[in-house]
Amino acid sequence: MAEMTYAEAIRDGMRQEMKRDRNVYLYGEDVGIFGGCFGVTAGLFQEFGPERVIDTPITETAIAGSAVGAAAAGLRPIAEIMFVDFMGVCMDEILNQAAKMRYMFGGKAKLPMVIRTPCGAGFSAAAQHSQTLEAWFTHIPGLKVVMPGTAADGKGLMEAAIRDDNPVIFIEHKVLLGAKGEVPEGEYLVPIGKADIKREGTDVTIVAWSLMLSKALAAAESLAQEGISAEVLDPRSLVPLDKEAILNSVKKTGKLVIVHEAVRTSGFGGEIAAIVADEGFDLLDAPIKRVTAPDTPIPFSPVLESAYIPSEEKIIKAVKELF
Amino acid sequence: MAEMTYAEAIRDGMRQEMKRDRNVYLYGEDVGIFGGCFGVTAGLFQEFGPERVIDTPITETAIAGSAVGAAAAGLRPIAEIMFVDFMGVCMDEILNQAAKMRYMFGGKAKLPMVIRTPCGAGFSAAAQHSQTLEAWFTHIPGLKVVMPGTAADGKGLMEAAIRDDNPVIFIEHKVLLGAKGEVPEGEYLVPIGKADIKREGTDVTIVAWSLMLSKALAAAESLAQEGISAEVLDPRSLVPLDKEAILNSVKKTGKLVIVHEAVRTSGFGGEIAAIVADEGFDLLDAPIKRVTAPDTPIPFSPVLESAYIPSEEKIIKAVKELF
Amino acid sequence: MEPTKDQLLDIFKTMSTIRAFESKAVELFAAGKLPGFVHLYLGEEAVATGVCANLTIKDYITSTHRGHGHLIAKGGKIDLMMAELFGKKTGYCKGKGGSMHIADVDLGILGANGIVGAGQPISVGAAFACKYRKTDSVTVCFFGDGASNRGTFHESLNMASVWKLPVIFVAENNMYGISNSQKTSMNVADIADRAAAYGIPGVAVDGNDVIAVFEAASEAVKRARRGDGPTLIECKTWRWRGHFEGDPSVYKKPEDQESWLKKDPIPRLEAKLVDLKYATQPELDKIKSEIKAQVEDAVKFAEESALPDIEDVLTDVYAN
Amino acid sequence: MEPTKDQLLDIFKTMSTIRAFESKAVELFAAGKLPGFVHLYLGEEAVATGVCANLTIKDYITSTHRGHGHLIAKGGKIDLMMAELFGKKTGYCKGKGGSMHIADVDLGILGANGIVGAGQPISVGAAFACKYRKTDSVTVCFFGDGASNRGTFHESLNMASVWKLPVIFVAENNMYGISNSQKTSMNVADIADRAAAYGIPGVAVDGNDVIAVFEAASEAVKRARRGDGPTLIECKTWRWRGHFEGDPSVYKKPEDQESWLKKDPIPRLEAKLVDLKYATQPELDKIKSEIKAQVEDAVKFAEESALPDIEDVLTDVYAN
Ligand SMILES: Cc1ncc(C[n+]2csc(CCOP(=O)(O)OP(=O)(O)O)c2C)c(N)n1
Ligand SMILES: Cc1ncc(C[n+]2csc(CCOP(=O)(O)OP(=O)(O)O)c2C)c(N)n1
Ligand SMILES: [Mg+2]
Ligand SMILES: [Mg+2]
């Protein structure tokens, strides 16, 4: 184990796989010398050279589309889209090409590609640089959607994503990049599709991912002091979703609160709530609560932005409404 | 009242508003002489001339982006995107420009624009020409999302959408285009944000929109013969959503089935289920069921496609599971 | 480089196969046997054929919604194609893709594509893979005049150029994007002129003259294999049919249609073959009737094949 | 057309205002007073100013993430801008937008924009509106060398050209898109050469020579007002600072930076003004210090302004 930041851990995951498999390469805007807009790829250019760490022109459509072609032709690209907010520029490549090619071709193509992209508010980067858009990708069959909330999961899920033979949307959180954690050294794989109970509890299940995981854990600590034992479950990947883990937890607690940073309407919290309101209806003894951003674009001014982002306090409040 | 098809009714809605307001114009790929890929705009070129009914090059990005610019400069564009499947090409314009401009500018812009686009399977048009993607748009604050299920609503909502000062995504269903209904003549407005109970009932609430409305109504007929009285509620617009109407109906029936043609995961059904599992939890006496397409791309072969699309039988089956 | 005798005879066979396949599709569609949209390549056979005659199985192509011709020219099997058009289990995509999604990755065919312009960045990626692996394989990207206006065109040609990728962009200018004349969709006479914006060669050729197409492609393929980067080739041609089967093409002028029908690339090639004494007309006619018989066999295969099983809806979404 | 004396003096004031505003922003950012990303226009003042000197309040512009210069040149108020940078309620966007989203629709400023290239199709729409209404207003679209590679560039120039819209595309070639040199991002020396792909005039000028910029823009604006359609103007310039404040620009060569700093457009204009006897150096210096005082006032206004109310998070999403 080594202490590393989330950014270092993700970078280490990429490095492990790039050393292991020459078919893996990394490209995107300013990922080379510049080291990526948030420094996540720093040093990889120096380590692997200009053939395997490649700067692109500002052309998200060509980045994502060429990842599809390269993967279909046998490489394993890791493409970076500088902010998840820019995914709109290449949604066709993701929606209609990456996700569907295998199915449309009757199973006769494999698309081992990872699209890495950072999400999240917290830097006063305003409405076009702070979004959290995972729900879109979960609505596209054929993709896997991964959102690590800790450094170790960042590394392990990155390695798993690179080895996966399907297109994986790998969403990093900007605010987490500097967060430290213990991370296994060398090869380390976290299976995609397996949730992790980050804190055990008996009274209420809180499902939270990415940055919201840490807020949920903090809220759980406070709640413990008030005698409420919260279980905090991190799905880690939204597609595939470890539905059983969620239902098992709700079976134990009878109560469910879902937390995400994305706007409320049609966020992935709705999907989880819907699954539980169907398959876990009899397990529930209280309404399902969601703690989310409001249905607005993200405001710039720090005072507004911090009112916008779901907070520990809001999670505590939502949990208490159930008791 | 006049009998018209859904396509004629929508066209009539556009025509009414184009006659009323010279700032309204229509453009898109092949909307002119060709009359649109599905004939919805047929005759408008002849009636309003080449200045107001305009063919574009194959450039969805420029179509959507220029609608934003034209609306900001005071026109009221109706832009057609030939299939909702192509929206990925212009998602940035929708996500980051149309939807957010007003908020980012501190309320100092108005964007009265309609993007019309057809959705839906049923013609063996395969995975890239058959999707139903409303959930994406509902996850973007700043947009309104309208999906008429009848000819009259098609006309009335089109007129309301054109008069609305916000960007409206207006999603037509390809299979409905030829469906006939009674439609009011002359100016006709259906308010955006008001659900319509298309069939009253007491035992179960079925929420369904677009093409699925007619399947839900047919299912309700069959269920009536088996002694189950289903209320069928058409939200008509998903954003804003008439939440009260849904909760009121569930209050009466205690049971909820949601039907949509989009794939299951993160479809808008999840949002409705989540709202009811929170705010209507105490009204429910059974799990919330969703009837949706499976989480796969849309297959080509008619035998596969008809197994894919949610059917009357599947709705009936889901309802019966609650009794 | 001029095509050899063998190449030219092969070209003739390929063009005739496309012609026969597409003519049959017209019939089958009219008879209600083909579900979905069908976009035919009739009249444009010289383009795909002249280009693909320069490729091997290790090269890649990306195709379009109007893909049958490209697929046949790159070696696609007409029985599996036909079965796919019928939506049968034995089709190239097990009936899941249909006309717009036929692919044969083993033959380097990265798929027809229902999204106009989508093949452009995909071709860049495939070409990148060839260069990355240090093979001398190339990728050909077919697309229409309409697709030349999409943002993907710009981003793809730019990326291919700055990375000197082995890709040949083939603009099939059949003068229309559905109902929109190329003349009103862009303000340049030759799409090939757009190559200058990327610092790559651009060449416009008569797309109904298969030898001209072959020669231009031969140059471009050599250049790409040498590592000198992409070329844009524009082939001027004409779509004989409507945009899709069922489109009456009201937007076309009858006199244009008539004059282009006279420029049929197949008789033109036949005359050349006879002229060069590579074959006699009766020999050519015999080949054509053999090909027609093969197409009939493909139809028989398709008709006799089983429909997909309902459970197949759920498979092939993910690998593993 | 050459600028008149009054025009040239106005140009001087505008450039000096941009310079003072941006220099202040450097300080304020370093002092931790400006939240978020700040992309500065220092060194590029001649571009926005030379172009906008040809516009009236009825004309439109679209801007970029590096927008302060464009906004000031189009008449944007520096106090409201500064308050916005501070995230204050009195700012142009009530603190909701910040540097990348400042707009003043009444002045025809359709917004800075955080999405590279996004202004291009928006400018086409605004120009369409002017033509549709039969006014003689024009729209100027500012964007960078990096943005010239985006698909939006291609689709927008093509659409503007086929519809002969009154739009002037101004490519600000400051040689970098973040860390990427223009030379490695495109395979043409002059972005202006790309105009040929759309059948429109393209002209490259020294973007640090405000008179050259003015003259090129003057031609293009006249052409657009006449109904003759769009022009692409490339202005070669240099970004003095990092991409955003905080970027140490390791990717730039120090000698390039040095040589470009010597080409500072403001002293160059001052020399010209003195030379033409339009003003004396002391007069110019006086104007500059007045402007600096105005910027200080703007900072004071911003600092003393109230923060937004928390409830404002929820307003302004929808009209009505
Ligand atoms: C992104 C996108 N926009 C629009 C369409 C609808 N569409 C299908 S084919 C076509 C015309 C294509 O024209 P061109 O590229 O010239 O090819 P051609 O059909 O002439 O072979 C259009 C507009 C589409 N499939 N994808
Ligand atoms: C679509 C999109 N891709 C990437 C970015 C990130 N980004 C912001 S500015 C920038 C560089 C822009 O370069 P250029 O167009 O030359 O403008 P400059 O910054 O030099 O003024 C990049 C890549 C973005 N904001 N939007
Ligand atoms: Mg064409
Ligand atoms: Mg630049």
Coordinates of all heavy atoms in Angstrom, one line a residue, chain D residues 44 65-66 144-147 172-178 180 182 239, ligand 4:
Chain D
E44 N -3.4 40.9 -27.1 CA -4.3 40.7 -28.3 C -5.3 41.9 -28.5 O -6.2 41.7 -29.3 CB -5.0 39.4 -28.1 CG -4.1 38.2 -27.7 CD -4.8 36.9 -27.7 OE1 -5.7 36.6 -28.5 OE2 -4.5 36.1 -26.8
H65 N -14.1 32.1 -24.4 CA -13.6 32.0 -23.0 C -12.7 33.2 -22.7 O -12.5 33.5 -21.5 CB -12.9 30.7 -22.8 CG -11.8 30.5 -23.7 ND1 -12.0 30.2 -25.1 CD2 -10.5 30.6 -23.6 CE1 -10.9 30.1 -25.7 NE2 -9.9 30.3 -24.8
R66 N -12.0 33.7 -23.7 CA -11.1 34.8 -23.6 C -11.8 36.1 -24.0 O -11.4 36.8 -24.9 CB -9.8 34.5 -24.4 CG -8.6 35.3 -24.1 CD -7.4 34.9 -24.9 NE -7.1 33.5 -24.8 CZ -6.6 32.9 -23.7 NH1 -6.3 33.7 -22.6 NH2 -6.3 31.6 -23.6
G144 N -10.6 31.3 -31.6 CA -9.2 31.1 -31.6 C -8.7 30.2 -32.7 O -9.5 29.6 -33.5
D145 N -7.4 30.1 -32.8 CA -6.8 29.1 -33.8 C -7.2 27.7 -33.4 O -7.5 26.9 -34.3 CB -5.3 29.2 -33.7 CG -4.7 29.2 -32.3 OD1 -5.0 30.2 -31.6 OD2 -4.0 28.2 -31.9
G146 N -7.3 27.4 -32.1 CA -7.7 26.1 -31.7 C -9.1 25.8 -32.2 O -9.4 24.7 -32.7
A147 N -10.0 26.8 -32.0 CA -11.4 26.6 -32.4 C -11.5 26.4 -33.9 O -12.6 26.0 -34.4 CB -12.2 27.8 -31.9
E172 N -8.6 34.5 -34.2 CA -7.6 35.1 -33.4 C -6.5 34.0 -33.3 O -6.6 33.2 -32.4 CB -8.1 35.5 -32.1 CG -9.3 36.4 -32.1 CD -9.7 36.9 -30.8 OE1 -10.0 36.1 -29.9 OE2 -9.7 38.1 -30.6
N173 N -5.5 34.1 -34.2 CA -4.4 33.1 -34.1 C -3.4 33.6 -33.2 O -2.4 34.3 -33.6 CB -3.9 32.9 -35.5 CG -2.8 31.8 -35.5 OD1 -2.5 31.3 -34.4 ND2 -2.3 31.4 -36.7
N174 N -3.5 33.2 -31.9 CA -2.5 33.6 -30.9 C -1.5 32.4 -30.7 O -0.8 32.3 -29.7 CB -3.1 34.0 -29.6 CG -3.9 32.9 -29.0 OD1 -3.8 31.7 -29.4 ND2 -4.6 33.2 -27.9
M175 N -1.4 31.5 -31.7 CA -0.4 30.5 -31.9 C -0.6 29.3 -30.9 O 0.1 28.3 -31.1 CB 1.0 31.1 -31.7 CG 1.3 32.3 -32.5 SD 1.3 31.9 -34.3 CE 1.1 33.6 -35.0
Y176 N -1.5 29.4 -30.0 CA -1.7 28.3 -29.1 C -3.1 28.0 -28.8 O -3.9 29.0 -28.7 CB -0.9 28.5 -27.8 CG 0.5 28.3 -27.9 CD1 1.4 29.3 -28.2 CD2 1.1 27.0 -27.8 CE1 2.8 29.1 -28.4 CE2 2.4 26.8 -27.9 CZ 3.3 27.8 -28.2 OH 4.6 27.6 -28.4
G177 N -3.5 26.8 -28.6 CA -4.7 26.4 -27.9 C -4.3 25.7 -26.7 O -3.7 24.6 -26.8
I178 N -4.5 26.3 -25.6 CA -3.8 25.9 -24.3 C -2.3 25.6 -24.6 O -1.6 26.6 -25.0 CB -4.5 24.7 -23.6 CG1 -6.0 25.0 -23.4 CG2 -3.8 24.4 -22.2 CD1 -6.8 24.0 -22.5
N180 N -1.1 23.6 -27.0 CA -0.9 23.1 -28.3 C -0.6 24.1 -29.3 O -1.4 25.0 -29.6 CB -2.1 22.3 -28.8 CG -2.1 20.9 -28.3 OD1 -1.1 20.1 -28.7 ND2 -3.0 20.5 -27.4
Q182 N -0.3 26.0 -32.7 CA -1.1 26.0 -33.9 C -0.5 25.2 -35.0 O -1.1 24.5 -35.8 CB -1.3 27.4 -34.4 CG -2.3 27.5 -35.6 CD -1.5 28.1 -36.8 OE1 -0.6 28.9 -36.7 NE2 -2.0 27.8 -38.0
R239 N -0.6 35.4 -27.2 CA -1.2 35.5 -25.9 C 0.0 35.7 -24.9 O 0.8 34.8 -24.8 CB -2.0 34.2 -25.6 CG -1.9 33.6 -24.3 CD -3.0 32.6 -24.1 NE -2.8 31.3 -24.6 CZ -2.0 30.4 -24.1 NH1 -1.1 30.7 -23.1 NH2 -1.9 29.2 -24.6
Ligands
MG4 MG -5.2 30.2 -29.5

